Short mmCIF file of all heavy atoms in Angstrom, two decimals:
data_model
loop_
_atom_site.label_atom_id
_atom_site.label_comp_id
_atom_site.label_asym_id
_atom_site.label_seq_id
_atom_site.Cartn_x
_atom_site.Cartn_y
_atom_site.Cartn_z
N MET A 1 31.65 50.81 155.02
CA MET A 1 30.95 50.87 156.24
C MET A 1 30.47 49.44 156.54
O MET A 1 29.74 48.92 155.86
CB MET A 1 30.07 52.00 156.39
CG MET A 1 29.19 52.10 157.50
SD MET A 1 27.84 53.19 157.50
CE MET A 1 28.82 54.69 158.16
N GLU A 2 30.70 49.17 157.89
CA GLU A 2 30.10 47.81 158.24
C GLU A 2 28.63 47.88 158.50
O GLU A 2 28.19 48.93 159.15
CB GLU A 2 30.83 47.34 159.54
CG GLU A 2 30.55 45.94 159.84
CD GLU A 2 31.56 45.51 161.00
OE1 GLU A 2 31.79 46.24 161.88
OE2 GLU A 2 31.79 44.32 161.16
N SER A 3 27.83 47.01 158.19
CA SER A 3 26.33 46.97 158.56
C SER A 3 26.15 47.01 160.05
O SER A 3 26.91 46.34 160.80
CB SER A 3 25.61 45.85 157.81
OG SER A 3 25.88 44.58 158.65
N PRO A 4 25.00 47.61 160.44
CA PRO A 4 24.57 47.61 161.86
C PRO A 4 24.62 46.21 162.40
O PRO A 4 24.97 45.92 163.60
CB PRO A 4 23.45 48.34 161.93
CG PRO A 4 23.42 49.38 160.75
CD PRO A 4 24.13 48.61 159.65
N ALA A 5 23.97 45.27 161.62
CA ALA A 5 23.74 43.94 162.22
C ALA A 5 25.14 43.26 162.38
O ALA A 5 25.30 42.49 163.48
CB ALA A 5 22.81 43.20 161.18
N ARG A 6 26.02 43.41 161.54
CA ARG A 6 27.33 42.93 161.63
C ARG A 6 28.09 43.56 162.97
O ARG A 6 28.80 42.89 163.63
CB ARG A 6 28.09 43.07 160.41
CG ARG A 6 29.41 42.36 160.44
CD ARG A 6 30.12 42.46 159.11
NE ARG A 6 29.34 41.64 158.29
CZ ARG A 6 29.74 40.52 157.55
NH1 ARG A 6 31.04 40.08 157.89
NH2 ARG A 6 29.03 39.98 156.75
N GLN A 7 27.90 44.77 163.19
CA GLN A 7 28.46 45.39 164.23
C GLN A 7 27.97 44.97 165.54
O GLN A 7 28.77 44.67 166.51
CB GLN A 7 28.18 46.92 164.19
CG GLN A 7 28.94 47.82 163.12
CD GLN A 7 28.49 49.14 163.08
OE1 GLN A 7 27.30 49.50 163.40
NE2 GLN A 7 29.38 50.03 162.54
N LEU A 8 26.61 44.59 165.56
CA LEU A 8 26.07 43.99 166.76
C LEU A 8 26.71 42.65 167.00
O LEU A 8 27.07 42.34 168.12
CB LEU A 8 24.55 43.92 166.64
CG LEU A 8 23.77 43.26 167.76
CD1 LEU A 8 24.14 43.96 169.07
CD2 LEU A 8 22.34 43.11 167.52
N ALA A 9 26.83 41.74 165.94
CA ALA A 9 27.41 40.43 166.16
C ALA A 9 28.82 40.62 166.55
O ALA A 9 29.22 39.77 167.38
CB ALA A 9 27.27 39.63 164.74
N ARG A 10 29.55 41.50 165.95
CA ARG A 10 30.89 41.64 166.46
C ARG A 10 31.03 42.15 167.91
O ARG A 10 31.87 41.73 168.54
CB ARG A 10 31.72 42.58 165.43
CG ARG A 10 32.98 42.69 165.66
CD ARG A 10 33.83 43.50 164.59
NE ARG A 10 33.11 44.66 164.11
CZ ARG A 10 33.28 45.87 164.79
NH1 ARG A 10 34.09 45.99 165.61
NH2 ARG A 10 32.61 46.93 164.22
N GLY A 11 30.10 43.01 168.23
CA GLY A 11 30.08 43.49 169.75
C GLY A 11 29.73 42.36 170.59
O GLY A 11 30.34 42.32 171.78
N LEU A 12 28.77 41.58 170.44
CA LEU A 12 28.44 40.42 171.21
C LEU A 12 29.63 39.49 171.39
O LEU A 12 29.92 39.00 172.44
CB LEU A 12 27.16 39.68 170.77
CG LEU A 12 25.94 40.51 170.87
CD1 LEU A 12 24.78 39.66 170.08
CD2 LEU A 12 25.48 40.68 172.30
N ALA A 13 30.36 39.20 170.18
CA ALA A 13 31.59 38.34 170.35
C ALA A 13 32.63 38.91 171.04
O ALA A 13 33.23 38.22 171.86
CB ALA A 13 31.96 38.01 168.81
N GLY A 14 32.77 40.20 171.04
CA GLY A 14 33.72 41.05 171.82
C GLY A 14 33.47 40.88 173.30
O GLY A 14 34.38 40.76 174.20
N LEU A 15 32.13 40.91 173.72
CA LEU A 15 31.79 40.75 175.10
C LEU A 15 32.19 39.46 175.66
O LEU A 15 32.73 39.36 176.70
CB LEU A 15 30.28 40.92 175.27
CG LEU A 15 29.62 42.25 174.99
CD1 LEU A 15 28.09 42.27 175.02
CD2 LEU A 15 30.20 43.38 175.92
N ASP A 16 32.14 38.36 174.90
CA ASP A 16 32.35 37.15 175.25
C ASP A 16 33.91 36.80 175.34
O ASP A 16 34.32 35.85 175.97
CB ASP A 16 31.63 36.06 174.30
CG ASP A 16 31.48 34.63 174.90
OD1 ASP A 16 31.20 34.59 176.04
OD2 ASP A 16 31.69 33.69 174.21
N ARG A 17 34.71 37.62 174.74
CA ARG A 17 36.13 37.49 174.71
C ARG A 17 36.68 38.40 175.89
O ARG A 17 38.02 38.22 176.13
CB ARG A 17 36.75 37.92 173.39
CG ARG A 17 36.55 36.94 172.43
CD ARG A 17 37.45 37.22 171.20
NE ARG A 17 37.15 38.50 170.57
CZ ARG A 17 36.25 38.80 169.50
NH1 ARG A 17 35.53 37.87 169.03
NH2 ARG A 17 36.00 40.01 169.18
N LEU A 18 36.00 39.10 176.64
CA LEU A 18 36.51 39.96 177.72
C LEU A 18 37.13 38.98 178.69
O LEU A 18 36.57 37.82 179.08
CB LEU A 18 35.44 40.76 178.40
CG LEU A 18 34.93 41.96 177.51
CD1 LEU A 18 33.80 42.76 178.23
CD2 LEU A 18 36.17 42.97 177.36
N PRO A 19 38.26 39.18 179.28
CA PRO A 19 38.86 38.41 180.36
C PRO A 19 37.93 38.12 181.45
O PRO A 19 37.30 39.06 181.97
CB PRO A 19 40.06 38.94 180.70
CG PRO A 19 40.17 40.26 180.11
CD PRO A 19 39.08 40.53 179.08
N GLY A 20 37.85 36.86 181.92
CA GLY A 20 37.06 36.55 183.15
C GLY A 20 35.59 36.75 182.98
O GLY A 20 34.81 37.04 183.88
N THR A 21 35.18 36.84 181.70
CA THR A 21 33.76 37.21 181.43
C THR A 21 33.10 36.23 180.47
O THR A 21 33.81 35.61 179.55
CB THR A 21 33.71 38.60 180.81
OG1 THR A 21 34.18 39.57 181.77
CG2 THR A 21 32.19 39.03 180.41
N ARG A 22 31.83 36.00 180.67
CA ARG A 22 31.18 35.06 179.75
C ARG A 22 29.72 35.62 179.32
O ARG A 22 28.95 36.16 180.25
CB ARG A 22 30.78 33.68 180.48
CG ARG A 22 30.03 32.67 179.60
CD ARG A 22 30.18 31.40 180.39
NE ARG A 22 29.24 31.28 181.51
CZ ARG A 22 27.98 30.91 181.57
NH1 ARG A 22 27.48 30.39 180.43
NH2 ARG A 22 27.17 30.88 182.46
N LEU A 23 29.37 35.69 178.12
CA LEU A 23 28.15 36.13 177.62
C LEU A 23 27.06 35.07 177.84
O LEU A 23 27.24 33.99 177.28
CB LEU A 23 28.41 36.35 175.97
CG LEU A 23 27.06 36.90 175.37
CD1 LEU A 23 26.54 38.12 175.91
CD2 LEU A 23 27.22 36.96 173.81
N VAL A 24 26.16 35.26 178.72
CA VAL A 24 25.21 34.34 179.08
C VAL A 24 24.07 34.33 178.20
O VAL A 24 23.41 33.32 177.86
CB VAL A 24 24.75 34.64 180.44
CG1 VAL A 24 23.81 33.62 181.15
CG2 VAL A 24 25.97 34.58 181.56
N ALA A 25 23.46 35.57 177.90
CA ALA A 25 22.29 35.61 177.14
C ALA A 25 22.29 36.95 176.40
O ALA A 25 22.92 37.99 176.87
CB ALA A 25 21.01 35.44 178.02
N TRP A 26 21.40 37.15 175.37
CA TRP A 26 21.12 38.42 174.70
C TRP A 26 19.75 38.32 174.14
O TRP A 26 19.18 37.31 173.79
CB TRP A 26 22.07 38.67 173.69
CG TRP A 26 22.33 37.71 172.56
CD1 TRP A 26 21.67 37.77 171.33
CD2 TRP A 26 23.02 36.40 172.58
NE1 TRP A 26 22.03 36.57 170.60
CE2 TRP A 26 22.87 35.78 171.40
CE3 TRP A 26 23.87 35.87 173.48
CZ2 TRP A 26 23.37 34.56 171.07
CZ3 TRP A 26 24.51 34.61 173.21
CH2 TRP A 26 24.29 33.98 172.02
N SER A 27 19.23 39.63 174.06
CA SER A 27 17.78 39.75 173.51
C SER A 27 17.79 39.76 172.04
O SER A 27 18.72 39.74 171.37
CB SER A 27 17.28 41.10 174.03
OG SER A 27 18.02 42.14 173.42
N ARG A 28 16.65 39.76 171.62
CA ARG A 28 16.59 39.83 170.02
C ARG A 28 16.99 41.15 169.57
O ARG A 28 16.93 42.13 170.44
CB ARG A 28 15.18 39.57 169.60
CG ARG A 28 14.14 40.57 170.05
CD ARG A 28 12.70 40.30 169.52
NE ARG A 28 11.86 41.34 169.91
CZ ARG A 28 11.63 42.48 169.37
NH1 ARG A 28 12.43 42.84 168.36
NH2 ARG A 28 10.86 43.39 169.80
N ALA A 29 17.28 41.39 168.56
CA ALA A 29 17.86 42.79 167.99
C ALA A 29 16.55 43.50 167.57
O ALA A 29 15.63 42.94 167.15
CB ALA A 29 18.80 42.50 166.68
N TYR A 30 16.65 44.70 167.71
CA TYR A 30 15.59 45.58 167.25
C TYR A 30 16.09 46.99 166.70
O TYR A 30 17.28 47.38 167.14
CB TYR A 30 14.56 45.95 168.35
CG TYR A 30 15.17 46.53 169.65
CD1 TYR A 30 15.02 48.00 169.83
CD2 TYR A 30 15.78 45.94 170.56
CE1 TYR A 30 15.64 48.57 170.88
CE2 TYR A 30 16.29 46.47 171.82
CZ TYR A 30 16.25 47.78 171.91
OH TYR A 30 16.75 48.42 173.02
N ARG A 31 15.46 47.46 165.83
CA ARG A 31 15.90 48.76 164.98
C ARG A 31 15.29 50.03 165.70
O ARG A 31 14.18 50.04 166.15
CB ARG A 31 15.44 48.71 163.56
CG ARG A 31 16.11 47.65 162.90
CD ARG A 31 15.71 47.88 161.37
NE ARG A 31 16.23 46.97 160.50
CZ ARG A 31 17.40 47.03 160.04
NH1 ARG A 31 17.96 48.15 159.98
NH2 ARG A 31 17.88 45.86 159.20
N THR A 32 16.19 51.02 165.73
CA THR A 32 15.67 52.37 165.99
C THR A 32 16.25 53.27 165.00
O THR A 32 17.26 53.11 164.49
CB THR A 32 16.06 52.77 167.49
OG1 THR A 32 17.58 52.73 167.61
CG2 THR A 32 15.33 51.92 168.54
N ARG A 33 15.55 54.42 164.81
CA ARG A 33 15.98 55.47 163.99
C ARG A 33 17.10 56.18 164.57
O ARG A 33 17.25 56.36 165.72
CB ARG A 33 14.91 56.41 163.69
CG ARG A 33 13.74 55.99 162.87
CD ARG A 33 12.72 57.12 162.53
NE ARG A 33 11.59 56.57 161.75
CZ ARG A 33 11.63 56.47 160.33
NH1 ARG A 33 12.72 56.94 159.75
NH2 ARG A 33 10.59 55.97 159.81
N PRO A 34 18.05 56.59 163.69
CA PRO A 34 19.29 57.35 164.28
C PRO A 34 18.88 58.75 164.77
O PRO A 34 17.84 59.24 164.39
CB PRO A 34 20.27 57.43 163.07
CG PRO A 34 19.24 57.33 161.82
CD PRO A 34 18.15 56.44 162.33
N TRP A 35 19.56 59.18 165.73
CA TRP A 35 19.41 60.47 166.27
C TRP A 35 20.69 61.21 166.25
O TRP A 35 21.74 60.70 166.08
CB TRP A 35 18.77 60.51 167.64
CG TRP A 35 19.79 59.88 168.65
CD1 TRP A 35 19.63 58.45 168.88
CD2 TRP A 35 20.74 60.32 169.48
NE1 TRP A 35 20.63 58.14 169.79
CE2 TRP A 35 21.33 59.27 170.27
CE3 TRP A 35 21.21 61.63 169.63
CZ2 TRP A 35 22.23 59.48 171.13
CZ3 TRP A 35 22.26 61.68 170.51
CH2 TRP A 35 22.77 60.71 171.36
N GLY A 36 20.62 62.59 166.28
CA GLY A 36 21.92 63.46 166.16
C GLY A 36 22.33 63.62 164.83
O GLY A 36 22.08 64.55 164.20
N GLU A 37 22.86 62.58 164.06
CA GLU A 37 23.27 62.66 162.72
C GLU A 37 22.41 61.64 161.94
O GLU A 37 22.61 60.57 161.84
CB GLU A 37 24.74 62.16 162.63
CG GLU A 37 25.42 62.04 161.25
CD GLU A 37 25.67 63.49 160.67
OE1 GLU A 37 25.92 64.37 161.51
OE2 GLU A 37 25.44 63.67 159.57
N PRO A 38 21.19 62.20 161.45
CA PRO A 38 20.25 61.37 160.90
C PRO A 38 20.65 60.78 159.60
O PRO A 38 19.92 59.82 159.17
CB PRO A 38 18.94 62.30 160.67
CG PRO A 38 19.56 63.68 160.56
CD PRO A 38 20.82 63.68 161.44
N ASP A 39 21.62 61.30 158.86
CA ASP A 39 21.98 60.60 157.68
C ASP A 39 22.93 59.37 157.83
O ASP A 39 24.07 59.34 157.51
CB ASP A 39 22.75 61.65 156.75
CG ASP A 39 22.99 61.16 155.22
OD1 ASP A 39 22.22 60.28 154.95
OD2 ASP A 39 23.77 61.68 154.67
N GLN A 40 22.42 58.34 158.45
CA GLN A 40 23.17 57.08 158.69
C GLN A 40 22.04 55.90 158.81
O GLN A 40 20.86 56.23 158.93
CB GLN A 40 23.99 57.26 159.95
CG GLN A 40 23.12 57.50 161.15
CD GLN A 40 24.04 57.71 162.51
OE1 GLN A 40 25.07 57.14 162.55
NE2 GLN A 40 23.68 58.58 163.36
N PRO A 41 22.62 54.73 158.78
CA PRO A 41 21.65 53.61 158.87
C PRO A 41 20.89 53.40 160.26
O PRO A 41 21.39 54.07 161.20
CB PRO A 41 22.51 52.42 158.73
CG PRO A 41 23.74 52.90 158.24
CD PRO A 41 23.95 54.28 158.52
N ASP A 42 19.79 52.97 160.16
CA ASP A 42 19.06 52.68 161.49
C ASP A 42 19.98 51.94 162.45
O ASP A 42 20.83 51.22 162.03
CB ASP A 42 17.71 51.78 161.24
CG ASP A 42 16.62 52.56 160.66
OD1 ASP A 42 16.74 53.76 160.51
OD2 ASP A 42 15.67 51.77 160.37
N PHE A 43 19.79 52.30 163.78
CA PHE A 43 20.64 51.64 164.79
C PHE A 43 19.91 50.09 165.08
O PHE A 43 18.81 49.96 164.97
CB PHE A 43 20.64 52.28 166.13
CG PHE A 43 21.20 53.65 166.13
CD1 PHE A 43 20.70 54.68 166.93
CD2 PHE A 43 22.23 53.84 165.34
CE1 PHE A 43 21.29 55.90 166.83
CE2 PHE A 43 22.83 55.18 165.17
CZ PHE A 43 22.30 56.18 166.20
N ILE A 44 20.79 49.17 165.29
CA ILE A 44 20.40 47.82 165.73
C ILE A 44 20.78 47.72 167.29
O ILE A 44 22.02 47.92 167.66
CB ILE A 44 21.09 46.70 164.90
CG1 ILE A 44 20.78 46.91 163.44
CG2 ILE A 44 20.61 45.38 165.32
CD1 ILE A 44 19.49 46.70 163.00
N ASN A 45 19.92 47.37 167.94
CA ASN A 45 20.07 47.41 169.49
C ASN A 45 19.77 46.11 170.13
O ASN A 45 18.95 45.42 169.48
CB ASN A 45 19.14 48.55 170.19
CG ASN A 45 19.42 49.77 169.70
OD1 ASN A 45 20.44 50.46 170.06
ND2 ASN A 45 18.44 50.35 168.78
N ALA A 46 20.35 45.75 171.20
CA ALA A 46 20.06 44.63 172.02
C ALA A 46 20.57 44.74 173.35
O ALA A 46 21.39 45.58 173.58
CB ALA A 46 20.77 43.34 171.22
N VAL A 47 20.13 43.83 174.20
CA VAL A 47 20.56 43.74 175.67
C VAL A 47 21.31 42.51 175.87
O VAL A 47 20.91 41.48 175.43
CB VAL A 47 19.46 43.81 176.60
CG1 VAL A 47 19.79 43.83 178.03
CG2 VAL A 47 18.58 45.10 176.41
N ALA A 48 22.47 42.54 176.54
CA ALA A 48 23.35 41.43 176.84
C ALA A 48 23.39 41.26 178.27
O ALA A 48 23.43 42.19 179.09
CB ALA A 48 24.59 41.65 176.22
N ARG A 49 23.43 40.04 178.66
CA ARG A 49 23.56 39.59 180.13
C ARG A 49 25.00 38.88 180.19
O ARG A 49 25.42 37.94 179.44
CB ARG A 49 22.59 38.60 180.65
CG ARG A 49 22.79 38.20 182.08
CD ARG A 49 21.73 37.40 182.44
NE ARG A 49 21.94 36.93 183.87
CZ ARG A 49 21.14 36.14 184.48
NH1 ARG A 49 20.14 35.68 183.92
NH2 ARG A 49 21.40 35.82 185.73
N LEU A 50 25.84 39.39 181.11
CA LEU A 50 27.18 38.90 181.23
C LEU A 50 27.46 38.37 182.67
O LEU A 50 26.79 38.89 183.65
CB LEU A 50 28.18 40.01 181.11
CG LEU A 50 28.28 40.75 179.80
CD1 LEU A 50 29.32 41.85 179.84
CD2 LEU A 50 28.52 39.82 178.59
N GLU A 51 28.27 37.31 182.72
CA GLU A 51 28.89 36.97 184.14
C GLU A 51 30.29 37.39 184.07
O GLU A 51 30.96 37.05 183.03
CB GLU A 51 28.82 35.49 184.27
CG GLU A 51 27.30 35.08 184.50
CD GLU A 51 27.15 33.54 184.87
OE1 GLU A 51 28.23 32.83 184.74
OE2 GLU A 51 26.09 33.10 185.01
N THR A 52 30.82 38.15 185.09
CA THR A 52 32.21 38.53 185.04
C THR A 52 32.78 38.72 186.35
O THR A 52 32.04 38.95 187.33
CB THR A 52 32.27 39.94 184.31
OG1 THR A 52 33.68 40.25 184.09
CG2 THR A 52 31.58 41.01 185.05
N GLY A 53 34.09 38.39 186.40
CA GLY A 53 34.79 38.69 187.64
C GLY A 53 35.50 40.02 187.53
O GLY A 53 36.29 40.28 188.42
N LEU A 54 35.36 40.74 186.58
CA LEU A 54 36.17 42.05 186.33
C LEU A 54 35.56 43.17 187.35
O LEU A 54 34.40 43.00 187.65
CB LEU A 54 35.87 42.64 184.90
CG LEU A 54 36.57 41.83 183.84
CD1 LEU A 54 36.11 42.31 182.40
CD2 LEU A 54 38.07 41.72 183.99
N SER A 55 36.45 43.96 187.68
CA SER A 55 35.96 45.03 188.64
C SER A 55 35.11 45.92 187.75
O SER A 55 35.20 45.92 186.46
CB SER A 55 37.14 45.84 189.15
OG SER A 55 37.89 46.56 188.11
N PRO A 56 34.39 46.83 188.24
CA PRO A 56 33.40 47.73 187.43
C PRO A 56 34.34 48.60 186.53
O PRO A 56 33.96 48.89 185.42
CB PRO A 56 32.77 48.59 188.55
CG PRO A 56 32.72 47.75 189.79
CD PRO A 56 33.97 46.95 189.81
N GLU A 57 35.54 49.12 186.99
CA GLU A 57 36.45 49.88 186.15
C GLU A 57 36.98 49.20 185.00
O GLU A 57 37.15 49.57 184.00
CB GLU A 57 37.55 50.50 187.02
CG GLU A 57 37.06 51.47 188.16
CD GLU A 57 36.60 50.72 189.53
OE1 GLU A 57 36.78 49.49 189.56
OE2 GLU A 57 36.06 51.47 190.35
N SER A 58 37.31 47.83 185.34
CA SER A 58 37.93 47.03 184.17
C SER A 58 36.93 46.63 183.26
O SER A 58 37.17 46.58 182.05
CB SER A 58 38.61 45.76 184.78
OG SER A 58 39.62 46.10 185.62
N LEU A 59 35.70 46.48 183.77
CA LEU A 59 34.54 46.05 182.74
C LEU A 59 34.28 47.34 181.82
O LEU A 59 34.14 47.12 180.72
CB LEU A 59 33.35 45.66 183.60
CG LEU A 59 32.06 45.38 182.70
CD1 LEU A 59 32.32 44.22 181.68
CD2 LEU A 59 31.12 45.00 183.64
N LEU A 60 34.19 48.38 182.54
CA LEU A 60 33.99 49.64 181.76
C LEU A 60 34.91 49.82 180.76
O LEU A 60 34.71 50.15 179.54
CB LEU A 60 33.85 50.90 182.63
CG LEU A 60 33.63 52.26 181.90
CD1 LEU A 60 32.30 52.21 181.18
CD2 LEU A 60 33.64 53.36 183.05
N ALA A 61 36.18 49.68 181.00
CA ALA A 61 37.31 49.92 180.11
C ALA A 61 37.21 48.88 178.94
O ALA A 61 37.37 49.11 177.89
CB ALA A 61 38.65 49.73 180.79
N GLY A 62 36.78 47.60 179.18
CA GLY A 62 36.67 46.61 178.21
C GLY A 62 35.47 46.95 177.36
O GLY A 62 35.48 46.75 176.19
N LEU A 63 34.30 47.37 177.84
CA LEU A 63 33.29 47.81 177.09
C LEU A 63 33.45 48.86 176.15
O LEU A 63 33.17 48.95 175.02
CB LEU A 63 32.06 48.16 178.09
CG LEU A 63 31.52 47.01 178.88
CD1 LEU A 63 30.41 47.47 179.97
CD2 LEU A 63 30.85 45.87 177.98
N GLN A 64 34.24 49.89 176.60
CA GLN A 64 34.58 51.08 175.81
C GLN A 64 35.41 50.65 174.72
O GLN A 64 35.54 51.20 173.66
CB GLN A 64 35.26 52.10 176.74
CG GLN A 64 34.16 52.76 177.57
CD GLN A 64 34.72 53.81 178.59
OE1 GLN A 64 35.87 53.67 179.02
NE2 GLN A 64 34.01 54.84 178.82
N SER A 65 36.47 49.69 174.91
CA SER A 65 37.23 49.17 173.87
C SER A 65 36.55 48.44 172.78
O SER A 65 36.98 48.49 171.65
CB SER A 65 38.43 48.25 174.41
OG SER A 65 37.88 47.02 174.84
N ILE A 66 35.46 47.83 173.07
CA ILE A 66 34.63 47.09 172.16
C ILE A 66 33.86 48.14 171.33
O ILE A 66 33.65 48.05 170.21
CB ILE A 66 33.72 46.08 172.85
CG1 ILE A 66 34.50 45.02 173.34
CG2 ILE A 66 32.72 45.64 171.78
CD1 ILE A 66 33.64 44.20 174.32
N GLU A 67 33.41 49.11 172.08
CA GLU A 67 32.48 50.20 171.36
C GLU A 67 33.30 50.87 170.39
O GLU A 67 32.87 51.20 169.24
CB GLU A 67 32.04 51.25 172.44
CG GLU A 67 31.03 52.27 171.86
CD GLU A 67 30.55 53.30 172.95
OE1 GLU A 67 31.52 53.55 173.80
OE2 GLU A 67 29.49 53.75 172.75
#
């Protein structure tokens, strides 16, 4: 299982690789306790700011593919 911090880093890199999209900024990472299935590592969360020429539907599809 990949660590949450590594998953976050991989996710941010994936955002920057979306076609016609640039990762402009991101917040510091912060931890939250898991919910639903509590027997898992803490979540690592952040906010990302993107510039993109993608349509909303194409952006959503790209985000879901990264997730």
Side-chain angles (χ1 to χ4, degrees):
M1 173 183 272
E2 191 173 32
S3 77
R6 187 173 294 247
Q7 289 173 335
L8 176 61
R10 190 170 40 88
L12 290 170
L15 293 174
D16 203 39
R17 287 192 300 271
L18 289 172
T21 302
R22 184 170 71 97
L23 178 62
V24 176
W26 58 95
S27 68
R28 67 175 181 83
Y30 59 96
R31 289 185 184 272
T32 57
R33 292 186 179 270
W35 57 273
E37 179 72 34
D39 190 24
Q40 59 183 325
D42 285 353
F43 296 150
I44 303 291
N45 301 283
V47 175
R49 180 177 178 184
L50 304 174
E51 290 179 354
T52 187
L54 294 174
S55 69
E57 295 82 6
S58 295
L59 178 59
L60 178 60
L63 295 174
Q64 288 174 331
S65 72
I66 294 168
E67 184 182 29

